[in-house]
Structure formats: structure tokens, C-alpha cells
Amino acid sequence: MSLLDTRVPAVLLRIDRNPFHHGTLGAVRSLGRAGADVHVVAEMTGSPIRKSRHVRRLHPPPAPGATPEEIATLLLRVAARIERPAVLIPMDDAGAVAVSRLRTELTPAYLLPQQPPTLPERVADKSELAQMCAAADVAHPCTFIPESAGQAVSAAWRLGFPLVAKWSRPWLLPTGSALRSTSVLRSSREVRELYLRGEEAGSRLLLQEFLPPGAGSDWFFHGYADRSGVMRAGGTGRKLSAWPRGAGLTAVGEWDTNGAVREQSERLAERLGYRGILDLDYRRCGTTGRYHLLDFNPRPGAQFRLFTDTAGLDVVRAQHLDLTHRPLPEGEARAGRAFVVENYAPLSALRRVRTDRELAWYAGDDAAAGRAMWALWCAHVTRRLWGRLRRSGARADAGSGAVAVADAGAKACGEVPPRVIRQGAAREGSPQAGLPGVPDAGGHADDEKAGSR
């Protein structure tokens, strides 16, 4: 018999249009294998996920730029078709923010965690998160919030290059803009040019100190805070490989115990009164040994299936069980278990291993979705390569007439200093030494959307 109450369907919501989001497929399979009817509200045109045998029904997503009222109307229409209350699980930040704000309108058609309606939006907002970490004494990269291009350049020189640039609300980035939620910048010209795209991005630009990656430095925590606030399911894991390298989603991850990361994550979630699924990303500072929180995602991380314990419990099953008032089984961690995303780490996927491992796309009981992914991925890569070749040819024909701009002139910027999220004192001898409010270490960004933009 299934652990789940199979009379209660699950509805997965994804607003961001990314056909290669393997986390959605993982949720479809996890809940479908447990016997739940799985409905998917997402753009599925050409997506491999539509081939999964565990999808009960596909529903069209909200239109780009849909208002909260339009999103509520669409979700209530889906609920009317299902004709039963369902557990609603957002699979991206945009969905998590919308659902939390619409909780009153969506109840009782959907079962949802109870928490402050603006909390998912606050933790997903990079500028808000920096302030929360400062208040909770959680290590976080030094963050500058410039109010002008000049301030952005001035802040960049204070931080030193390379540095990390983030849009505070990445879920607002327009599709097809080529803007990434997170970028590594290496010159003042790049900083100025990116800042000037703020109106297009729809949110403020943040500049953060870059913490170099290193072996064993990238960690993440997944969990489910139940109705009483107790953290269930999930665990701590190491990122062994990322795509794009050093600044992207987890291509290869391993379940590994890290008491410091778990304690810090649980303490922050408890302080905020958070309820539901969460995914936190960390980078360890090689100098201080502290784990700096880079991102707080109020929804399942794409690699959540890594944390499937010996009782078969993961975070999406935990939410379904908890919201239907069923007991959660007590399983044990499967330390050393690995998770590999084949299209981002093909060599790792092909390597024969004796340890416990799950692939993001291939599954013996759901092979059609994996085959469809490879067909779509090959077409995607071919288009990207052809586009690069055409651009390279166009540049060669036009000639390289770019004039180098001296960055040194930016050092003389005399504008009012940008807003700084204070957390500690700067390291002596660092590029920002002597600046008030600069912490002793920084970090590098990690956001799942970086891999699809």
C-alpha cells in the first residue's frame, strides 16, 4: 500500500518556461510512483516531461506576465476540473511567490502550508535575504545595492574583480532576454552595462564579493518544514559538479552529512517561521571555514530526489503526507547516494558505479521521458552552436574596432556610496579593507535558472 493518501491528487505548478527542468520530472515520478494522480500546470510544448507515464493530465500555464488574479483564476479552474482538493506544489520561485500570496483565494481548493503570505517572496528576493542573514547572524556574502551606474562601478572596485552580480528578483527576468539571474563580472564595463539593463530585468541589481570555489566548498540543504515547524525529509549534500561551471545548477551531487549546514538551515527556517519545502545553497569560505548562504529557494530544488531515504521519503512526498495528515515514515539517510543530470554531466552518467545513484532523466520504468530529453537536447545544442558560429562570422566580417576603456577612471567615482548590507568587518588587506560594514568573506551565486538562460 502507498504511504500517500491516493485519494488526494497533486498539482505541480511551474511558471518559468524551461523544458529541461528535471526537478519537475522528479516530482512527477516521485508522486506518481506512490500512487497519486499528478497534474502539471506548466508549458509542456515539446517538453520531455509530457512523455512521462506518471502524468495524469497537463494543464496550460499562466500567460507570461499574468497578474495574481489571473493566476488564481487559472488554478481554480484546474481545481474545478479535478473536482477534489489537491496538494499544490510550486516548482519555481515565481510559482512559490504567487501561491503564497494567493493562499486565501486558493483555499479550500488546494492544501497548502500555513505561513506568512509574503515570506516566500522575501526569502527568494536576494536583497531581502541579505538583510535576513545579517539579522540572524548567518554568514552571507557582502552585498552592495547600487542606486546608479556610477555607484555600481564604485562598489565593484571596492569588492574587487571578479565579483558576483545578481538580480534581486530573478523570477521577473523576461524570457528570451539572455539575462542570467547570476553572473560573474570581471570588468567595470561589464558592471556598468549590466546595471543599465535594470529596467529590462524588472528588479534591482546586487553586487557581491566573489568567494572562489574549491574542492568540497559547495553545499546545499533540502528539507520540508512540517505544520509544527519540524524539519522533515531532505538532508545536506555536496555539489561535485555544476553547470555552468562554478555558477550554475547541480550537475552531480552527493548526499553527505554536514552538521554545520543543517544546524544553520534549521535555525534560520525556525527564526523565520517557514513552512513547506525549501532548498538552500551554501559556499564554504576557505579562509574562515564559515558556510555562506547564497540562495534560499522556497520550493523543491531540481536535485531533490538525491535525498530519498531508506523509507522512500523525499520532500515532495513529505509535503503530501503532512498536508493530508498522514504519518511520515522514519527512514535513514543514504550517505554517499549520488544524483547526476545526464545532459549537463554526460561522462558522469556513463561512468559505471557501484554506489547508490539516481539519474535525473533516465528511469527504467519511465524511459520515454529520457529519450525525449536527448532528442530535444541535441536540437538545442545544435541551435546554440550554429548561432555562435554565425555571430563569430559576423564579427570577423565587421572587424574588431572596439576601443578599450580604462577602468582606472572609475576609481575616482565621487558618488554617494551604494547601500551595503552590513554583517561584519572586512579582512585586513582585502580590496574592501577599511570600509565599514563589509563582512569577512563573500560568496558566489548558485541558481538553478542559470543553467537555462
Side-chain angles (χ1 to χ4, degrees):
M1 294 181 62
S2 173
L3 294 172
L4 305 185
D5 184 343
T6 56
R7 298 169 300 176
V8 181
V11 174
L12 306 179
L13 170 66
R14 184 166 180 85
I15 294 177
D16 180 46
R17 303 195 170 200
N18 175 11
F20 298 110
H21 190 257
H22 49 277
T24 302
L25 178 61
V28 166
R29 287 172 171 168
S30 177
L31 297 166
R33 287 168 179 158
D37 287 344
V38 183
H39 295 253
V40 180
V41 181
E43 176 53 60
M44 290 286 107
T45 303
S47 172
I49 299 169
R50 68 182 298 119
K51 298 292 186 179
S52 174
R53 70 183 187 89
H54 297 292
V55 174
R56 176 61 182 270
R57 185 169 179 177
L58 298 171
H59 303 266
T67 65
E69 293 75 16
E70 290 169 336
I71 295 174
T73 299
L74 183 145
L75 290 174
L76 292 174
R77 188 181 304 128
V78 170
R81 291 173 183 168
I82 297 174
E83 298 181 334
R84 288 174 290 168
V87 173
L88 177 58
I89 304 178
M91 297 302 300
D92 61 359
D93 290 347
V97 170
V99 167
S100 183
R101 282 190 167 274
L102 295 169
R103 191 180 186 283
T104 301
E105 293 88 332
L106 297 177
T107 305
Y110 292 102
L111 306 180
L112 299 166
Q114 295 187 19
Q115 63 179 343
T118 61
L119 185 54
E121 183 173 358
R122 292 176 60 211
V123 298
D125 187 312
K126 311 304 180 186
S127 61
E128 291 271 357
L129 179 62
Q131 297 176 65
M132 290 180 182
C133 288
D137 192 27
V138 171
H140 185 275
C142 173
T143 301
F144 288 86
I145 308 176
E147 299 294 339
S148 68
Q151 284 189 7
V153 171
S154 177
W157 279 101
R158 297 180 183 201
L159 290 171
F161 292 103
L163 56 82
V164 175
K166 296 181 180 180
W167 297 107
S168 61
R169 298 188 170 195
W171 64 90
L172 298 180
L173 291 173
T175 302
S177 67
L179 285 170
R180 291 183 179 274
S181 59
T182 300
S183 304
V184 178
L185 306 182
R186 293 177 169 81
S187 71
S188 352
R189 184 179 67 179
E190 290 181 345
V191 171
R192 181 180 294 276
E193 290 176 351
L194 191 61
Y195 180 86
L196 293 176
R197 300 186 71 179
E199 185 174 351
E200 178 186 359
S203 64
R204 294 180 295 178
L205 183 69
L206 279 68
L207 301 177
Q208 292 181 343
E209 182 186 8
F210 176 75
L211 185 65
S217 63
D218 288 333
W219 291 76
F220 46 87
F221 175 83
H222 292 197
Y224 172 73
D226 67 15
R227 286 172 292 124
S228 61
V230 176
M231 198 65 68
R232 311 294 296 272
T236 57
R238 287 191 303 133
K239 182 181 295 189
L240 304 182
S241 176
W243 182 267
R245 187 175 301 174
L249 56 80
T250 299
V252 182
E254 181 182 69
W255 193 339
D256 196 359
T257 302
N258 188 317
V261 168
R262 173 176 282 277
E263 186 279 330
Q264 187 165 286
S265 302
E266 292 182 347
R267 175 164 51 86
L268 180 60
E270 181 179 9
R271 179 186 179 95
L272 297 175
Y274 189 88
R275 300 291 185 272
I277 299 172
L278 49 80
D279 163 28
L280 279 62
D281 294 305
Y282 291 89
R283 177 162 288 176
R284 182 178 181 272
C285 174
T287 303
T288 66
R290 299 186 71 189
Y291 292 93
H292 288 246
L293 179 60
L294 305 179
D295 287 300
F296 189 129
N297 303 306
R299 37 76 181 172
Q303 73 275 29
F304 79 91
R305 283 289 300 166
L306 170 64
F307 302 110
T308 305
D309 66 18
T310 56
L313 189 68
D314 59 34
V315 293
V316 299
R317 289 185 179 183
Q319 177 160 328
H320 195 288
L321 288 166
D322 183 50
L323 297 183
T324 56
H325 297 262
R326 292 176 73 88
L328 276 66
E330 295 292 339
E332 296 181 1
R334 295 156 71 177
R337 174 173 163 81
F339 184 84
V340 180
V341 187
E342 304 96 300
N343 51 321
Y344 298 124
L347 296 181
S348 296
L350 292 171
R351 188 177 299 122
R352 296 185 65 180
V353 295
R354 297 181 181 179
T355 57
D356 184 9
R357 183 181 73 171
E358 181 166 330
L359 299 179
W361 293 99
Y362 173 77
D365 67 337
D366 197 28
R371 289 195 298 266
M373 183 280 294
W374 280 118
L376 187 65
W377 183 253
C378 289
H380 169 73
V381 171
T382 300
R383 286 194 303 270
R384 293 288 296 271
L385 290 175
W386 179 244
R388 288 184 182 181
L389 288 173
R390 293 183 63 182
R391 289 192 295 271
S392 297
R395 285 196 296 268
D397 292 340
S400 179
V403 178
V405 178
D407 285 342
K411 295 181 180 180
C413 176
E415 294 201 30
V416 176
R419 181 182 172 201
V420 184
I421 304 300
R422 291 179 167 81
Q423 198 175 27
R427 294 190 303 273
E428 185 177 354
S430 69
Q432 63 273 36
L435 295 177
V438 182
D440 60 356
H444 186 53
D446 170 32
D447 192 289
E448 290 174 5
K449 295 177 71 174
S452 62
R453 295 200 176 267

